[in-house]
Amino acid sequence: MGLLAVIGGSGFQRLGGLEVVSTEQPETPFGPVSAPLVRGELAGRSVLFLARHGAGHRLAPHRVNYRANLWALRACGARQVVGLAAVGGITAAYGPRVFALPDQIIDYTYAREHTFHDGESHPVHHVDFTEPYCAQLRGALRAACELAGVPATPTATYGATQGPRLETAAEIVRMERDGCDLVGMTGMPEAVLARELDLNYASLAFVVNWAAGKGEGAITMAEIEGHLAYCTGQVERILAALAAAS
Ligand code: HPA
């Protein structure tokens, strides 16, 4: 299966349960990684962890150096990557605290370094992205959710927005019309860069708020943080089950 890496987003500056062995700050041709890579043991398996937003959550979603992060993970031996994703829920089945394993993406981001194949560092190449996530890793995550006793919806379409602001109600109506179930700010270009590097990548998404216009009134940080705190423990259980099973 190869070395497992976890990219932690909001709520995951560190990974609970990971017994840290070492930290590494690899050089990359694309500049610095978000944070030192943490190598450790999770449920008896060697795992790499990277905090996507850096120490103290200092990097906004559009400022994350996704190319350096994915490159460094691969250079340090990762072959499977789970991207954690705290998201807003758009469609009715994806309310707060719902876990989901997205199977599709619609990308609304712009002006991010979104490819290795730009004709400079790598030749131009049009990578297949019909199925943006690794089916095998999604299957393993689904089994891990079952083992951990956390119900998870096995499919969802993830809409990636630019942020850091949240969306308008009209933008969410449009995204729903497009077919999005979830909205988040970091799923792209992370997923496509993983594909370009031939990494097996999947997302473990958990809903921390109703998307704009879908709940009552404005979205508050207190609401998001409350749901995030609830989801953190479940995520750690799922990842421990994933590590133990592989
Ligand atoms: N929109 C975009 N990204 C998010 C949201 C949201 O409502 N919630 C968590 N990440």
Side-chain angles (χ1 to χ4, degrees):
M1 285 278 265
L3 182 63
L4 173 67
V6 176
I7 302 178
S10 300
F12 289 92
Q13 294 295 113
R14 53 181 288 282
L15 184 58
L18 185 69
E19 287 171 41
V20 178
V21 173
S22 62
T23 58
E24 299 160 43
Q25 184 109 36
E27 299 275 319
T28 87
F30 308 97
V33 288
S34 293
L37 266 52
V38 179
R39 197 181 285 271
E41 295 265 321
L42 183 66
R45 187 176 168 197
S46 186
V47 168
L48 286 172
F49 176 77
L50 173 60
R52 186 188 283 125
H53 296 282
H57 204 284
R58 75 196 149 79
L59 294 169
H62 66 292
R63 288 272 170 82
V64 171
N65 192 343
Y66 297 95
R67 294 201 300 182
N69 287 352
L70 274 298
W71 184 273
L73 287 173
R74 193 174 209 295
C76 289
R79 291 298 176 268
Q80 299 183 86
V81 180
V82 174
L84 303 182
V87 296
I90 298 177
T91 45
Y94 299 85
R97 304 191 178 191
V98 166
F99 278 72
L101 304 170
D103 62 328
Q104 279 298 327
I105 297 175
I106 300 180
D107 187 8
Y108 301 90
T109 65
Y110 49 89
R112 300 182 180 192
E113 294 289 358
H114 64 284
T115 183
F116 294 107
H117 295 291
D118 56 6
E120 289 177 22
S121 61
H122 286 61
V124 174
H125 171 64
H126 307 287
V127 78
D128 176 74
F129 206 44
T130 309
E131 299 295 336
Y133 299 105
C134 169
Q136 207 187 348
L137 186 54
R138 287 181 53 248
L141 273 169
R142 190 175 179 180
C145 288
E146 270 169 35
L147 273 172
V150 180
T153 309
T155 57
T157 295
Y158 175 108
T161 57
Q162 179 71 354
R165 69 166 177 84
L166 296 167
E167 297 68 38
T168 67
E171 286 168 337
I172 293 297
V173 168
R174 181 181 72 153
M175 290 178 75
E176 183 168 19
R177 227 169 28 232
D178 287 351
C180 296
D181 300 300
L182 306 173
V183 55
M185 299 176 190
T186 55
M188 286 292 282
E190 196 168 273
V192 74
L193 292 170
R195 177 61 54 86
E196 287 186 352
L197 291 179
D198 221 8
L199 290 163
N200 297 315
Y201 178 91
S203 168
L204 175 60
F206 41 96
V207 180
V208 295
N209 59 283
W210 280 115
K214 293 291 178 181
E216 306 264 304
I219 299 166
T220 66
M221 283 315 291
E223 169 194 0
I224 290 181
E225 280 160 14
H227 295 309
L228 194 55
Y230 170 85
C231 292
T232 304
Q234 320 266 65
V235 169
E236 289 170 359
R237 288 222 312 276
I238 294 165
L239 292 176
L242 179 71
S246 47

